[in-house]
């Protein structure tokens, strides 16, 4: 009997070096996007308007390119066929997807808003620490409940220790300058990080059913734009539109950086596996944010506490990471029919 198709070399075997480097670079791109959106929000004195520009540009690029992406239409049709509004009593096996699996893009809008609102005040390094800490904690619940395409993974002592270390890593830098304003700003990326793990899990299910990452990418940016647009309506009603916009083209690149990051994350996982990709991106985010703070103000906000916290968040990511990819389902493998809750 045939053993069936063999997995890609990078997905289950030894990860390819170039893919690990690319995943690390993608993490640095996310840190750069946070820095750019934060600076734009600071320049126009309106972080919501800055977030709208960033997400609007991302969606425009995707809307123009989606019809030409391989497998986009076929994947979208598969998603429509495998979705139902809710469980029916006495029905046959439940479809793979529920409507809430399609809502991950809401988190993308929240992330962009948090970038524009808090990065300039906190610094890129502390913003990233708070974001990754939220991801680590949420990842415990997401894996434990089996929200993603793989099997559920219980929260053992090693993973709990990683989550505790992540909390300590984000708390320590705040203790020296703890104010109500600082705490509120740090809670924004922390909450966004909590949502990111859930977003990656539901996107993994969409990708597995569609057989292509592009439908979920397009849907994510569509929902993100809607979230930011709703916030913009409230913002414009309260304070009006910004009077002056900067002429530096770099400050308007956040949307393009977002497209690069999302596409890289969904394309690289088949070559690295989820575990290695997550660790590489965390390393890229942390190191990239430290480099940005150093370049921006000569390291004025990058003290020894922030450096130690950045090192701790990397250790926490290793401890709280999923088991080796060989023990988990490939996110691009078709999913079995199973009841969802």
């Amino acid at each position: 009997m045939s053993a069936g198709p063999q997995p890609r070399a990078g997905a289950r075997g030894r990860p390819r070096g170039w893919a690990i480097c690319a995943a690390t670079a993608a993490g640095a791109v996310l840190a750069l996007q946070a820095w750019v959106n934060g600076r734009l929000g600071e320049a126009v004195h309106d972080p919501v308007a800055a977030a709208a520009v960033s997400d609007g540009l991302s969606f425009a690029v995707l809307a123009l390119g989606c019809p030409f992406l391989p497998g986009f239409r076929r994947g979208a049709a598969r998603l429509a066929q495998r979705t139902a509004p809710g469980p029916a009593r006495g029905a046959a096996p439940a479809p793979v997807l529920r409507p809430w699996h399609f809502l991950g893009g809401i988190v993308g809008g929240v992330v962009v808003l948090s970038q524009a609102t808090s990065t300039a005040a906190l610094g890129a390094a502390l913003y990233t620490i708070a974001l990754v800490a939220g991801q680590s904690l949420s990842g415990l619940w997401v894996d434990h409940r089996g929200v993603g395409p793989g099997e559920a993974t219980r929260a053992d002592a090693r993973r709990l220790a990683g989550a505790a270390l992540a909390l300590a890593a984000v708390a320590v830098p705040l203790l020296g300058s703890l104010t109500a304003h600082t705490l509120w700003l740090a809670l924004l990326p922390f909450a966004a990080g909590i949502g990111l793990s859930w977003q990656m899990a539901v996107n993994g299910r969409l990708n597995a059913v569609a057989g292509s990452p592009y439908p979920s990418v397009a849907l994510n940016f569509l929902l993100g734009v809607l979230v930011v647009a709703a916030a913009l309506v409230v913002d414009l009603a309260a304070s009006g539109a910004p009077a002056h916009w900067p002429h530096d083209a770099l400050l308007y690149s956040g949307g393009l950086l977002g497209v690069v990051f999302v596409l890289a994350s969904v394309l690289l996982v088949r070559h690295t596996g989820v575990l290695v990709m997550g660790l590489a991106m965390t390393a890229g985010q942390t190191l990239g944010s430290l480099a940005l703070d150093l370049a921006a103000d000569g390291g004025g906000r990058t003290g020894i506490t922030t450096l130690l916290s950045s090192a701790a968040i990397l250790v926490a990511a290793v401890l709280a990471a999923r088991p080796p990819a060989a023990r988990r389902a490939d996110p691009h493998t078709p999913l079995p029919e199973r009841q969802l809750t």
Side-chain angles (χ1 to χ4, degrees):
M1 181 181 294
S2 173
Q6 297 299 313
R8 293 176 180 268
R12 303 258 184 166
R14 182 180 179 86
R16 299 177 181 178
W18 68 265
I20 295 175
C21 293
T24 303
V29 166
L30 183 60
L32 179 59
Q33 183 197 26
W35 184 88
V36 167
N37 286 342
R39 289 300 181 276
L40 180 60
E42 187 179 41
V44 300
H45 304 290
D46 190 337
V48 177
V53 169
S54 176
D55 244 24
L57 181 57
S58 298
F59 180 69
V61 171
L62 264 278
L64 292 174
C66 276
F68 306 100
L69 294 175
F72 174 78
R73 295 180 181 178
R74 184 170 60 252
R78 288 175 180 168
L79 293 179
Q81 293 169 359
R82 303 285 293 278
T83 306
R89 291 187 178 182
V96 169
L97 298 174
R98 298 290 184 214
W100 56 267
H101 285 106
F102 293 84
L103 300 180
I106 293 174
V107 177
V110 174
V111 170
V112 173
L113 286 171
S114 74
Q115 290 174 343
T117 303
S118 57
T119 305
L122 293 175
L126 186 52
Y127 174 90
T128 298
I129 290 170
L131 185 77
V132 175
Q135 281 182 268
S136 299
L137 287 178
S138 178
L140 284 175
W141 180 85
V142 166
D143 280 351
H144 185 76
R145 297 291 298 177
V147 177
E151 297 178 356
T153 304
R154 293 189 178 277
D156 57 14
R158 180 172 61 88
R159 291 165 60 78
L160 289 171
L165 182 57
L167 272 179
V170 73
V172 169
L174 293 175
L175 294 179
S177 57
L178 187 60
T179 65
H181 183 63
T182 303
L183 180 60
W184 168 249
L185 288 177
L187 285 176
L188 290 176
F190 182 76
I194 289 176
L196 274 177
S197 290
W198 177 78
Q199 181 190 32
M200 288 188 290
V202 296
N203 282 346
R205 292 198 64 85
L206 296 184
N207 297 345
V209 172
S212 168
Y214 301 117
S216 65
V217 170
L219 180 62
N220 271 243
F221 278 105
L222 171 61
L223 291 178
V225 165
L226 293 178
V227 169
V228 175
L232 181 63
V233 169
V234 176
D235 179 66
L236 293 178
S239 56
H244 303 287
W245 290 86
H247 298 292
D248 187 354
L250 176 63
L251 297 183
Y252 299 94
S253 64
L256 296 176
L257 293 171
V259 173
V260 170
F261 171 77
V262 173
L263 286 177
S265 65
V266 298
L267 292 174
L268 290 172
V269 67
R270 68 185 65 185
H271 299 290
T272 63
V274 178
L275 169 64
V276 176
M277 185 185 73
L279 294 177
M281 284 187 169
T282 297
Q285 283 179 260
T286 304
L287 297 175
S289 62
L290 288 173
L292 286 168
D293 276 354
L294 186 63
D297 61 3
R301 283 183 290 193
T302 311
I304 186 63
T305 303
T306 302
L307 291 172
L308 291 176
S309 295
S310 299
I313 210 71
L314 291 174
V315 176
V318 174
L319 289 174
R322 298 176 179 180
R327 295 175 56 188
R328 299 187 60 88
D330 189 325
H332 295 278
T333 300
L335 291 171
E337 298 284 356
R338 62 184 176 96
Q339 179 70 38
L340 297 178
T341 56

